[in-house]
Amino acid sequence: MTYWEAIQTLHKHFYLSGRRNKIWQANNVAKYFYYVLAVFLYAYFVWIGCELADLIIKDNLGGYRFIYALLPLLLFLDYIFRYTTDHRLLMHIRPYLLLPLPKHSYTDYLILRQLIVFKNVNLLFICFPFGLKTVIPELGATAMIGYTAGLYLLLLINGQFFQFTQVLTARGLWYWIIPIFTYLFIGLTAIFFPSSQGYLHRWGEIGNAMIRGEVWIYPVMVLLLIGMVLLNRNVLEHRIRQEQYTAAPPKSEKNSISLTIFDRFNQIGEFLKLEIWSILRNKKMRLSFIFNTLAIFLFSLITAIDPEIDMVKSNGFLYYSFITYGLSSLLRIMCYEGNYYECLLMHRNSIQNLLLAKYYLYTTLLLIPLLAFLPIALIGKISFWTILSYALFAAGVAYRILFQMAIYNKVTFSMQATHTGKNANTNYIQLITTIITIISPLPIAALGTWWLNQPTLTNTLLSLLGIIFITTHRRWITGISMKMKDNQYDQLEGFQKSR
């Protein structure tokens, strides 16, 4: 098999793998719902580009040169946006290591796939309308070719940098220093200019070189892209072979965490241990917990230092901080337990006790956002009753909505889903549940705070609803477990097929 035949075969296999995926076939409604969301998202990007161009023309901020001054921010946003859509595919390459494929063909396919993916043009939906309204009136239609080509090359380089760091950050948290310092360094270049006009002028010169197609700019960008491709290939091959052939070092028992405090709670205590160990040992769950915790403290910091923050934004940050753990974990409740769902069915009341353990753990985790926003209450920006009311509402109403997904989830997640590429297991019920969970306090807030101008009424209603569902949590968890028992064969079939 030649090099290009291997590339074509890999592409065909990956394409068929995606088409034959049971999750892709089962969720036709979610699939078309994603298409509609993508159309709305790109239309929103086009609108942002047009509005930004009108603003620049109106305020005379340098015309088309202004988009180049925003390049550090745009590249950073492109990097973050790729993490929400791209998936790691190293595990899908591992079986091909047993075949006599040409050297570098499997890693080159991953790199080529990254270079031709449609996500590389996401930000062009902002930049291209901006260029139509700023570049063409000033420099003519031919200048749009250099304008678009230069930005597209930068996005390709950014995509290769993303793939390079994505592999590294999956292996260790310390590797996040690379993207953080890279984009921070690019952003801090603004402080080396004495004025904003000097900063805009310097970036404008780089943009003009791209538009005019000057000799020096494109070879530099192409060489940078080639360098990133070669570095990416080296890292991919090293990581693939390391995961395939290198045995994991034995872990010392000194580093194991003793959770004997939960022994007094019998079976619920054992499930509490299992939940905590899952967060500590499962890389995906651990990273999700870390990022959610950082987001909570970031929201609290923004609320504390922003002098112009209004009540709507502060309450939005507050409520999202209380439901972020639930949205990341409880929305896919029972998906990890699908690996051993048969064992749960064999023991009486095991599912009910498992759900109770999850509820107690994630209710306890609400202390983190409660403590994070407590200093804001002390400085008087948000009342303590408002913080407490949203905490009670999240523990009661929001968790009641999220726990309902235990009945509908039928897809098994790998216990070590670090490099899996099929992580898009979201069905339309999960999307609807997410929307309902996020907007559930809005009618109460709109009635009490915005319409009647009585924040006390809002806090009272949120607290009462939360307390009602908290005090009756055993009753509705028992109802969920009984409904799961009625549908146990359908769920068991779904969990087994998706393993």
Side-chain angles (χ1 to χ4, degrees):
M1 181 178 291
T2 64
Y3 177 85
W4 287 110
E5 287 176 346
I7 295 290
Q8 293 173 0
T9 302
L10 286 171
H11 178 68
K12 182 179 180 181
H13 288 182
F14 272 69
Y15 174 77
L16 293 177
S17 175
R19 300 296 295 178
R20 292 171 179 171
N21 185 18
K22 297 180 179 65
I23 302 165
W24 179 261
Q25 296 174 354
N27 296 324
N28 289 323
V29 177
K31 179 172 62 177
Y32 294 115
F33 188 69
Y34 286 140
Y35 291 154
V36 174
L37 286 179
V39 171
F40 276 104
L41 178 63
Y42 289 127
Y44 185 67
F45 281 176
V46 172
W47 177 81
I48 291 176
C50 294
E51 290 295 317
L52 183 62
D54 293 338
L55 178 64
I56 298 306
I57 295 173
K58 180 180 178 181
D59 295 341
N60 193 21
L61 295 176
Y64 68 90
R65 301 169 187 83
F66 188 80
I67 199 69
Y68 295 103
L70 293 179
L71 275 179
L73 176 61
L74 293 177
L75 293 176
F76 175 72
L77 294 177
D78 177 63
Y79 183 90
I80 297 298
F81 189 74
R82 290 175 188 270
Y83 258 102
T84 64
T85 53
D86 283 9
H87 307 295
R88 303 179 183 97
L89 301 173
L90 296 188
M91 290 290 289
H92 295 271
I93 290 294
R94 287 176 63 180
Y96 295 95
L97 297 177
L98 303 175
L99 301 177
L101 295 177
K103 188 178 181 181
H104 305 307
S105 60
Y106 44 87
T107 51
D108 288 352
Y109 171 70
L110 293 179
I111 293 173
L112 183 63
R113 185 185 179 97
Q114 179 69 35
L115 288 173
I116 65 175
V117 72
F118 184 77
K119 300 179 183 68
N120 287 324
V121 301
N122 282 336
L123 286 186
L124 289 183
F125 282 89
I126 295 177
C127 300
F128 193 79
F130 181 88
L132 290 177
K133 304 187 76 171
T134 57
V135 176
I136 293 180
E138 188 170 346
L139 300 177
T142 56
M144 278 294 296
I145 300 176
Y147 170 82
T148 308
L151 292 176
Y152 183 64
L153 270 176
L154 287 176
L155 292 175
L156 290 180
I157 296 170
N158 204 45
Q160 286 301 300
F161 179 73
F162 166 79
Q163 191 176 32
F164 161 70
T165 56
Q166 186 189 36
V167 176
L168 294 178
T169 54
R171 299 294 300 174
L173 192 61
W174 291 107
Y175 286 108
W176 278 101
I177 296 176
I178 298 175
I180 290 174
F181 275 93
T182 300
Y183 290 105
L184 190 62
F185 174 76
I186 296 174
L188 289 178
T189 54
I191 66 176
F192 296 106
F193 294 92
S195 64
S196 58
Q197 291 296 328
Y199 173 76
L200 183 63
H201 177 70
R202 178 60 61 185
W203 279 102
E205 289 181 351
I206 298 176
N208 289 333
M210 295 180 187
I211 291 175
R212 292 192 297 264
E214 294 185 6
V215 178
W216 67 272
I217 187 68
Y218 283 102
V220 169
M221 296 173 65
V222 171
L223 287 176
L224 183 58
L225 178 61
I226 294 174
M228 285 303 307
V229 167
L230 295 177
L231 180 62
N232 202 4
R233 172 200 270 186
N234 188 24
V235 172
L236 283 171
E237 287 189 351
H238 177 72
R239 290 304 181 189
I240 289 173
R241 296 189 178 277
Q242 185 181 39
E243 291 185 358
Q244 179 69 17
Y245 301 115
T246 305
K251 296 183 179 179
S252 174
E253 293 184 358
K254 295 180 180 180
N255 296 328
S256 61
I257 299 177
S258 177
L259 300 175
T260 55
I261 189 175
F262 298 115
D263 291 341
R264 68 189 69 181
F265 301 113
N266 301 324
Q267 192 179 39
I268 294 179
E270 295 300 321
F271 284 126
L272 281 170
K273 293 180 184 179
L274 184 62
E275 290 296 315
I276 295 175
W277 281 332
S278 297
I279 296 175
L280 294 176
R281 296 177 178 178
N282 188 306
K283 294 179 181 179
K284 185 176 181 180
M285 296 182 67
R286 184 170 67 246
L287 286 176
S288 177
F289 177 80
I290 293 172
F291 289 144
N292 288 332
T293 304
L294 292 176
I296 290 171
F297 284 97
L298 178 63
F299 289 151
S300 64
L301 181 63
I302 293 174
T303 306
I305 66 177
D306 190 355
E308 299 181 357
I309 192 168
D310 55 9
M311 185 177 295
V312 176
K313 187 182 295 185
S314 61
N315 286 4
F317 286 162
L318 178 63
Y319 178 62
Y320 186 79
S321 297
F322 279 111
I323 64 173
T324 182
Y325 292 125
L327 288 179
S328 62
S329 300
L330 297 180
L331 191 65
R332 296 172 175 84
I333 189 172
M334 300 305 296
C335 289
Y336 289 103
E337 289 75 10
N339 292 282
Y340 50 88
Y341 192 65
E342 301 92 329
C343 301
L344 294 175
L345 296 177
M346 293 173 62
H347 297 276
R348 186 180 180 183
N349 296 329
S350 60
I351 294 180
Q352 179 180 348
N353 290 332
L354 173 63
L355 295 179
L356 285 172
K358 286 180 176 289
Y359 182 77
Y360 294 148
L361 175 63
Y362 285 94
T363 302
T364 305
L365 289 179
L366 295 181
L367 292 174
I368 296 176
L370 186 66
L371 295 175
F373 280 86
L374 185 60
I376 303 176
L378 296 177
I379 64 177
K381 274 208 165 186
I382 300 179
S383 68
F384 179 75
W385 192 10
T386 300
I387 300 175
L388 184 61
S389 64
Y390 278 105
L392 294 174
F393 186 84
V397 179
Y399 281 2
R400 173 63 185 91
I401 298 172
L402 292 172
F403 266 80
Q404 189 70 19
M405 289 305 303
I407 301 174
Y408 304 111
N409 286 333
K410 301 178 183 179
V411 177
T412 301
F413 279 15
S414 172
M415 297 301 293
Q416 285 294 343
T418 303
H419 293 303
T420 54
K422 303 298 180 186
N423 289 336
N425 295 331
T426 305
N427 55 45
Y428 70 97
I429 300 179
Q430 291 177 346
L431 294 173
I432 295 173
T433 304
T434 302
I435 295 172
I436 293 175
T437 304
I438 293 175
I439 68 174
S440 55
L442 290 183
I444 300 175
L447 174 65
T449 304
W450 306 328
W451 186 24
L452 299 178
N453 197 19
Q454 294 291 333
T456 304
L457 177 61
T458 300
N459 297 337
T460 303
L461 293 176
L462 292 175
S463 301
L464 286 177
L465 287 174
I467 291 172
I468 290 173
F469 282 96
I470 290 174
T471 54
T472 60
H473 72 276
R474 282 187 171 268
R475 177 174 297 181
W476 53 261
I477 286 179
T478 302
I480 291 174
S481 61
M482 292 178 63
K483 186 65 175 177
M484 292 177 64
K485 186 176 181 181
D486 295 338
N487 300 334
Q488 60 182 345
Y489 298 110
D490 292 336
Q491 283 193 294
L492 181 60
E493 182 182 4
F495 286 137
Q496 289 177 341
K497 285 184 177 180
S498 57
R499 288 177 185 172

